[in-house]
Amino acid sequence: MLTWAHRHGIGLRLIEPGKPNQNAYIESFNGRLRDECLNEHWFVSLNHARVVIRAWVREYNEERPKKTLGGLTPAEHAKQLAAKAATFDPGL
């Protein structure tokens, strides 16, 4: 993997062993993905895995409200932010 990343100009930034709190958000997401999707399915092909994972991600982002977003889904929160940005008047 290191050779491939170097050839493609990709810098790897790794979390120190035993310190998942260095990137708590992604560690939390990875745990949910693993527990709720990857451990629940027996993938028979790469295409099957893509379909199942895509459906899980869509449900995670578009149907599940998040406490940290005030009970909104990430998709609803993104729409609110876009609407606020569209009505923002820097001249005020």
Side-chain angles (χ1 to χ4, degrees):
M1 184 168 126
L2 293 173
T3 303
W4 178 88
H6 181 72
R7 279 189 202 147
H8 291 86
I10 297 170
L12 299 176
R13 298 176 196 258
L14 304 175
I15 296 170
E16 292 177 69
K19 301 202 176 192
N21 59 339
Q22 289 179 343
N23 197 347
Y25 292 111
I26 196 62
E27 290 297 317
S28 175
F29 174 81
N30 286 345
R32 279 186 170 71
L33 174 63
R34 190 173 36 256
D35 292 343
E36 298 173 9
C37 184
L38 302 179
N39 290 346
E40 296 295 319
H41 298 279
W42 184 271
F43 301 112
V44 295
S45 68
L46 181 56
N47 190 49
H48 179 232
R50 286 179 177 147
V51 169
V52 170
I53 293 167
R54 201 173 289 134
W56 183 87
V57 168
R58 186 199 54 74
E59 186 262 334
Y60 183 84
N61 286 323
E62 297 177 14
E63 297 176 17
R64 283 193 198 180
K66 307 288 188 278
K67 280 187 205 177
T68 57
L69 300 178
L72 298 174
T73 66
E76 291 168 333
H77 183 67
K79 285 179 189 173
Q80 277 191 358
L81 290 177
K84 284 181 186 176
T87 59
F88 178 69
D89 184 1
L92 292 178

